[in-house]
Amino acid sequence: ANTVPLEGWIYALFNQVPNPIPGILSVQYRIDFRDKILFRKAPLVFYPRDKFPLAALFKSLDAKTVVRVYELILAEGQIIFVSSDIALLNAVAEAFRCLLFPFVWQRIWIPILPAEDQFANFLLSMWPFVIGFQRSFINRFHLPAAEEKKFEIVDLDNNSIREHTNTNPRDDSQMPGAGPHFPKMPQAI
């Protein structure tokens, strides 16, 4: 009997079987004239892996703050994550994305925004967003005085949420080089 090792079948499957026709959601292949393999397109909403990164989330934020941020995300708010640790920004954003299951965020989701001034225009968007900034970048960014913006800033290093409003912009000449003004968050969250 002519037997082909498993590695040979895997090689043939990935390198010699043609791609399916665009628009076809399932494809069936016959191997060795007996066995059939059915390939299907994954559903748009998939259950997150069983090892999603919740540890970083709960190390940086307490349960009350996590619930408040979750409420803001479900309400499709404009949310900015701020941290000095760039890896923490991605881990926390991914944890919240996994916690959204079975819902899927379909707006602007940028866990780590590059520290270039031209990318800061995402903050001027009228759409809901979740954006992560390194602390050094958020401290030097200023909204134009004419823009009226309100968004929530989640500080991952200090376990806090602050509301940023720019309806009454401050006079930048009083504090040269300072970042945006962050009003104190009320005690009742």
Side-chain angles (χ1 to χ4, degrees), residues 68 72 76-82 120-131 133 138 141-144 147-154 161-167 180-183 185:
R68 178 67 181 131
L72 292 169
E76 293 189 337
Q78 294 184 329
I79 303 158
I80 297 175
F81 290 117
V82 177
N121 289 331
F122 282 108
L123 293 180
L124 303 177
S125 171
M126 62 184 224
W127 302 105
F129 58 74
V130 173
I131 296 177
F133 277 110
I138 195 73
F141 177 71
H142 298 279
L143 284 173
E147 289 292 329
E148 289 189 17
K149 293 296 295 179
K150 175 186 168 190
F151 42 80
E152 306 293 329
I153 298 177
V154 180
I161 301 176
R162 294 173 286 194
E163 181 180 275
H164 172 76
T165 56
N166 199 39
T167 55
H181 174 67
F182 302 122
M185 189 69 176

Side-chain angles (χ1 to χ4, degrees), residues 36-105:
K36 294 179 184 177
I37 298 178
L38 183 64
F39 296 97
R40 290 191 184 134
K41 184 177 178 181
L44 292 177
V45 177
F46 64 93
Y47 189 73
R49 297 180 299 264
D50 53 337
K51 292 186 178 182
F52 47 92
L54 290 181
L57 173 65
F58 286 103
K59 284 181 182 176
S60 60
L61 301 175
D62 63 13
K64 183 178 178 181
T65 308
V66 168
V67 170
R68 178 67 181 131
V69 173
Y70 190 68
E71 288 174 347
L72 292 169
I73 290 173
L74 288 177
E76 293 189 337
Q78 294 184 329
I79 303 158
I80 297 175
F81 290 117
V82 177
S83 177
S84 54
D85 183 4
I86 199 165
L88 182 63
L89 288 170
N90 189 45
V92 168
E94 188 61 28
F96 275 112
R97 186 194 305 258
C98 290
L99 287 175
L100 278 176
F101 181 81
F103 304 111
V104 177
W105 182 267

